[in-house]
Amino acid sequence: MTATRPTATPGTRMAHDDAGHGPAVVLVHGHPFDRSMWWPQRERLTTAGWRVIAPDLRGYGETPSSDTCTPLEVFAGDLLALLDELDVEHFILGGLSMGGQIALATHRLLRERSEQYRIRRMLIAASSPHPEDATGVRARHATADRLLTDGMERFAEDMLPRMLAPASIRRLPATARHVRRMMAAAPPNGAAAALRGRAMRPDYRTELAEVTVPTLVVVGRHDTLTPVPIARDTAAALPRGRLAVLDGTAHLPNLEHEVAFNDTVQHFLGETFDG
């Protein structure tokens, strides 16, 4: 059974799931979700002999925050503090959407400490290493203002058709309800702070050449938020990158086609790489 242990980290108490035994796989959720988005992967990977750690990021789920702006490097610092508390030295690091950007921020932070050896492999799903342009910066701040004024319900309704492919919404009503529930339940202040932090994110494309571990880039074929060309360019820029495009999915391939996603990830984790 999964144990959720709130753990003290600098500036926050980070709720998380820590399940299974074996090499650690750390999974970072996107915006505006929580750690429950990784339930299908937790169940599959723990059964296959992995230890899965999935936190609620600062300001999401059961992890509190009073931030007005949370940069990605702050999330990365929280994550490393949690892993230190759990005595996790080496780990596989994965993230989806904002979580993928946090994974890159974590790699950068470890590289600055000369500790990048702690990451053994990486998974970047439905994510982009690009910085925000001027239009995007204005849009993120405007959305943050709106969330604080109006709450999350309208945002959840508007975003559901962009998160899931139309066929997924029709075919997987329980999944659609889960996705909508996560978005609607996200604390507005935490979601707004993360949006403001992402508006100021650096250009992680310069980081990709430094990620020398095997890295799997996964994207849904119908993802309009982080389209296939971005994923293809990301994989090509990684020294040991590989690309997986999942048919019939949009921005949440791990939930829309969990079997194909899990098969792809498990195969990647089980591969033997030279070097």
Side-chain angles (χ1 to χ4, degrees):
M1 183 172 179
T2 299
T4 301
R5 300 189 289 271
T7 305
T9 62
T12 189
R13 292 182 60 82
M14 206 170 195
H16 62 280
D17 290 341
D18 183 356
H21 303 279
V25 179
V26 181
L27 298 174
V28 186
H29 67 77
H31 164 88
F33 303 117
D34 56 53
R35 68 189 191 270
S36 70
M37 72 165 289
W38 293 115
W39 283 348
Q41 288 68 54
R42 181 194 67 190
E43 299 307 312
R44 173 73 170 268
L45 292 176
T46 55
T47 300
W50 300 87
R51 176 186 180 185
V52 177
I53 300 168
D56 279 340
L57 295 169
R58 178 188 296 232
Y60 292 91
E62 297 177 322
T63 300
S65 175
S66 58
D67 295 351
T68 57
C69 176
T70 311
L72 296 179
E73 57 266 27
V74 170
F75 288 126
D78 288 345
L79 184 63
L80 290 176
L82 172 64
L83 295 176
D84 289 344
E85 287 285 339
L86 297 176
D87 293 322
V88 175
E89 176 70 8
H90 301 109
F91 52 93
I92 291 143
L93 179 59
L96 185 144
S97 191
M98 180 178 74
Q101 295 167 344
I102 293 169
L104 291 173
T106 302
H107 181 275
R108 172 179 285 187
L109 183 55
L110 285 174
R111 188 164 60 84
E112 290 171 351
R113 300 176 182 177
S114 298
E115 295 180 355
Q116 65 267 37
Y117 65 86
R118 295 180 64 182
I119 300 177
R120 293 302 175 86
R121 301 186 188 199
M122 291 185 69
L123 162 68
I124 299 174
S127 192
S128 169
H130 292 255
E132 199 65 84
D133 60 21
T135 300
V137 169
R138 290 191 295 270
R140 290 199 185 277
H141 282 288
T143 301
D145 291 341
R146 190 163 60 250
L147 295 183
L148 294 175
T149 301
D150 301 336
M152 298 298 297
E153 285 285 345
R154 176 64 182 273
F155 181 83
E157 289 292 340
D158 291 343
M159 288 301 296
L160 185 64
R162 303 185 70 188
M163 295 293 181
L164 302 176
S168 298
I169 295 175
R170 294 193 302 269
R171 181 173 54 89
L172 302 168
T175 297
R177 287 193 296 270
H178 178 210
V179 171
R180 188 192 179 285
R181 179 202 62 76
M182 283 192 291
M183 291 193 289
N189 64 308
L195 284 171
R196 298 191 198 283
R198 288 176 80 191
M200 56 189 288
R201 69 182 182 269
D203 188 347
Y204 288 113
R205 288 175 295 180
T206 61
E207 184 75 16
L208 298 179
E210 305 296 332
V211 180
T212 58
V213 295
T215 302
L216 176 65
V217 179
V218 181
V219 66
R221 189 171 299 279
H222 305 294
D223 191 343
T224 60
L225 295 173
T226 52
V228 172
I230 290 178
R232 184 180 296 115
D233 290 346
T234 299
L238 290 159
R240 304 172 75 184
R242 59 185 57 196
L243 176 67
V245 181
L246 299 188
D247 291 330
T249 68
H251 198 57
L252 295 175
N254 70 308
L255 294 174
E256 295 177 83
H257 204 326
E258 63 184 64
V259 173
F261 185 93
N262 290 348
D263 285 348
T264 300
V265 170
Q266 189 169 342
H267 177 74
F268 171 73
L269 295 182
E271 283 185 287
T272 299
F273 291 88
D274 295 329

